[in-house]
Amino acid sequence: MVDVAGVVVLIVFYVIILVVGILAAKYTKTEGASETERSLVAGRQLNLCVGIISMTASAVGGGFLNGYAESVALYGLIWTLIPVGGMIGNFLSSFAFGGEMRRRKYLTMLDPFYEKYGKEVTAILFLVALFSDTLWTASILSALGSSLSIILGLSSVVSIVVSALIAVCYTMIGQMISVSYTDVVELAFIIIGFGIAIPFAASNENVNLSSLSETQDRWLGTIKPIQIASYIDLVITVWILGALPWQCLYQRFLSAKSVRDAKIMGVLGGIMVAIIGAAPISIGIIGIVTDWNNTSYGADPIQANEASMILPLVMYHLTPKPVAIIALCAVTAAVMSSMDSAILGASGMFTQNVYRVVIRKKPSLREQTWVRQIALVVMGVTSSLIAIFGGTTVIGLYYASADVAVVVIVPQLICSMYIGVANGYGALLGSGLALVLIFGKGQPMINVYAFVPYPPYDNEGDIFPVRSLCMIVAILTTVVVSYVTRMMFKKGLLAQRFDIFNQFSTVKPEVSDDLFQDGESNRDILLKTT
């Protein structure tokens, strides 16, 4: 049965977010910025405080909240210290990539790929980023669907479609400006909602916190000796480096007023992500020490293979109804804050790094705007369909998206920005091998099952450090193949006509002055690297 009062509160929340997005787009001034800069990086005039909040909110999505609560309930705290890893990853990205990208005045995460590898290779690598962003957004929407269906009795399909529609609407209206300022409101809802709900849930009569010492193996989790290598692999590649390969992160860096502001955003944003990460972890632990048989739910959701719904179940069955509705608004806010960032990032990369340099040369600003809007809609629809018809485990979708992004995008960010010999041929072969190896371990969430027999193997699941292997292979292959192809073309062992990606052309490509919409530094960089 649909909770009418809860639906009304949710509608009010949606209206607030939509109004804030529209007003931010209308009244925020970005003098001297081009339309492209205004759309993608808020005219590079984003307030520092707003930027820190926006960076935090974009990371704290429905997948973050529902997924981490699910992970604690299933595997324990030691397997869910992702917020701490994310904080370290933010620190790393601030100084290794974000600050440097802001100094070079890029517009997207793929701009260093364009400079180093050219337009064709960048377009291919964009498909990997798009795939990861789509799965990540689907995990966010899947979390919302389960929450609304439990707390309000709404159909998960209706919940997903309406939320995606609202996010697409205000993102289309104000682009990066609307996204940033709605993030402020959404993060406030997240903090207030969970700040109220968790104490109520923890004090419920069916929650026995004193049993934590007796159930330590369940809520803390265990690492078997045979799992140590895979655990280290998970910490380094997914928890730490997994924070790096996302356009929504770099959009905040690139929107900053200065390099200094960009680095501050990353550091403080990372700290806030780690702090807020205590909320889903607490809810997961509460779910473990709850006597579910005496609640209105009547059964342990963890034992019933419903751990993916642990967060909305705790909110609904362990808190008063008004508190549950407030917490629901917090979950919805988290979903909106991440989804708008993901779809804006994907549409921006497509327009800037694919459409205007590969599909159609020198399109008008009006045409680019229309392309971005259409790409936003397509991204929203695709993610919604995956959330509706795909798998139900939120953390599974998140890990599937992170696996692909980490083994392809991170190595190519390193190679394109810091390894001089790297070229497009090495990047493509290195990325291709990494994808084969990562899919070889199996990705059941997207119906890809293991076809590479990684040793050793037992019934405990993945115990081989596959992701680390993929990253090492991607970097080494990129460097070696790049060096070999460079030598062969330079020495005439391969004819120039075989240089299909123009990596070693003696004729410099025509470089548009407005390619990055900013200064001569970028033009000079491109000419030096081609």
Side-chain angles (χ1 to χ4, degrees):
M1 183 177 179
V2 176
D3 187 323
V4 177
V7 171
V8 171
V9 172
L10 191 63
I11 291 173
V12 171
F13 167 77
Y14 279 138
V15 170
I16 292 173
I17 296 299
L18 190 58
V19 169
V20 169
I22 294 172
L23 292 178
K26 183 176 181 180
Y27 293 107
T28 302
K29 304 298 183 183
T30 54
E31 290 88 353
S34 69
E35 180 60 31
T36 302
E37 285 182 310
R38 178 180 169 85
S39 297
L40 297 183
V41 291
R44 305 197 196 277
Q45 297 175 32
L46 191 62
N47 177 276
L48 178 59
C49 183
V50 174
I52 294 169
I53 294 173
S54 182
M55 183 165 285
T56 305
S58 66
V60 182
F64 181 99
L65 298 173
N66 292 53
Y68 295 172
E70 173 191 351
S71 183
V72 170
L74 287 175
Y75 312 115
L77 175 62
I78 198 168
W79 290 93
T80 320
L81 294 173
I82 312 176
V84 177
M87 177 181 68
I88 298 172
N90 262 46
F91 294 170
L92 179 62
S93 64
S94 298
F95 295 97
F97 300 109
E100 180 62 19
M101 285 187 179
R102 178 60 184 87
R103 185 188 69 79
R104 300 187 191 183
K105 299 181 179 178
Y106 290 145
L107 283 171
T108 76
M109 174 183 73
L110 298 183
D111 282 349
F113 296 174
Y114 181 89
E115 287 184 345
K116 195 73 172 176
Y117 305 142
K119 59 186 180 182
E120 295 88 357
V121 176
T122 300
I124 295 171
L125 293 175
F126 162 75
L127 296 177
V128 177
L130 177 64
F131 176 81
S132 298
D133 277 338
T134 303
L135 285 187
W136 181 46
T137 308
S139 75
I140 295 168
L141 290 172
S142 178
L144 178 66
S146 62
S147 300
L148 289 180
S149 63
I150 289 173
I151 297 178
L152 297 183
L154 284 175
S155 162
S156 60
V157 175
V158 173
S159 307
I160 289 170
V161 170
V162 172
S163 299
L165 181 62
I166 297 295
V168 168
C169 283
Y170 72 71
T171 305
M172 289 176 68
I173 292 170
Q175 304 281 311
M176 186 58 188
I177 293 172
S178 290
V179 167
S180 299
Y181 281 89
T182 54
D183 280 347
V184 175
V185 179
E186 288 156 356
L187 189 63
F189 271 100
I190 293 169
I191 294 173
I192 293 171
F194 284 96
I196 294 174
I198 290 176
F200 273 99
S203 60
N204 186 280
E205 60 183 1
N206 296 307
V207 177
N208 184 13
L209 293 179
S210 62
S211 69
L212 287 174
S213 59
E214 302 169 6
T215 58
Q216 183 172 331
D217 286 347
R218 282 196 64 194
W219 66 264
L220 184 59
T222 58
I223 302 175
K224 299 178 181 180
I226 199 171
Q227 295 176 310
I228 292 175
S230 63
Y231 183 78
I232 295 173
D233 176 61
L234 186 70
V235 171
I236 295 174
T237 59
V238 176
W239 296 2
I240 296 178
L241 299 182
L244 272 62
W246 308 102
Q247 167 65 7
C248 60
L249 172 71
Y250 295 105
Q251 267 186 308
R252 273 72 186 168
F253 286 130
L254 299 174
S255 299
K257 294 180 179 179
S258 65
V259 174
R260 173 180 172 275
D261 280 6
K263 293 179 179 179
I264 292 174
M265 281 183 190
V267 171
L268 296 185
I271 293 172
M272 290 182 67
V273 167
I275 293 172
I276 295 174
I281 289 173
S282 300
I283 290 170
I285 293 174
I286 289 171
I288 290 174
V289 298
T290 296
D291 183 1
W292 287 99
N293 293 325
N294 288 327
T295 67
S296 54
Y297 191 62
D300 189 339
I302 303 171
Q303 299 297 326
N305 294 321
E306 294 179 337
S308 63
M309 298 190 295
I310 194 70
L311 185 143
L313 288 175
V314 167
M315 296 296 98
Y316 184 73
H317 294 283
L318 303 182
T319 68
K321 195 56 174 290
V323 175
I325 293 174
I326 293 173
L328 175 63
C329 288
V331 174
T332 308
V335 169
M336 306 287 276
S337 67
S338 293
M339 181 183 176
D340 55 18
S341 299
I343 60 176
L344 176 63
S347 66
M349 288 189 294
F350 172 74
T351 306
Q352 182 70 12
N353 299 111
V354 179
Y355 184 82
R356 70 192 300 266
V357 294
V358 176
I359 297 175
R360 181 173 166 81
K361 304 291 181 62
K362 297 184 178 179
S364 66
L365 290 177
R366 180 180 179 83
E367 182 178 345
Q368 292 179 57
T369 300
W370 274 104
V371 171
R372 273 195 300 271
Q373 307 289 43
I374 294 172
L376 278 170
V377 175
V378 171
M379 180 71 175
V381 170
T382 305
S383 300
S384 299
L385 290 174
I386 294 175
I388 293 169
F389 298 107
T392 57
T393 169
V394 176
I395 197 67
L397 282 170
Y398 170 80
Y399 275 139
S401 66
D403 278 353
V404 176
V406 164
V407 303
V408 174
I409 303 300
V410 173
Q412 296 314 322
L413 280 173
I414 295 171
C415 291
S416 64
M417 295 186 68
Y418 294 107
I419 299 179
V421 74
N423 62 45
Y425 300 110
L428 283 182
L429 189 54
S431 299
L433 285 175
L435 285 175
V436 171
L437 292 173
I438 197 65
F439 282 122
K441 81 178 184 66
Q443 295 289 346
M445 287 305 305
I446 54 177
N447 295 320
V448 176
Y449 297 95
F451 56 85
V452 176
Y454 290 106
Y457 179 82
D458 69 2
N459 293 327
E460 298 298 326
D462 296 330
I463 55 177
F464 184 82
V466 179
R467 301 177 187 89
S468 296
L469 171 68
C470 292
M471 291 190 65
I472 293 171
V473 167
I475 294 174
L476 289 180
T477 303
T478 299
V479 173
V480 171
V481 173
S482 295
Y483 178 81
V484 171
T485 53
R486 178 181 180 180
M487 180 185 67
M488 293 180 74
F489 277 109
K490 293 297 183 182
K491 292 184 177 294
L493 299 176
L494 281 177
Q496 197 69 38
R497 66 177 181 276
F498 294 115
D499 185 14
I500 57 176
F501 295 135
N502 295 313
Q503 300 293 292
F504 308 103
S505 175
T506 56
V507 180
K508 299 300 181 183
E510 180 183 350
V511 183
S512 172
D513 286 328
D514 66 344
L515 182 61
F516 303 104
Q517 306 295 329
D518 269 295
E520 285 296 315
S521 59
N522 292 299
R523 180 185 176 93
D524 292 342
I525 292 170
L526 181 56
L527 290 175
K528 289 177 182 177
T529 56
T530 51

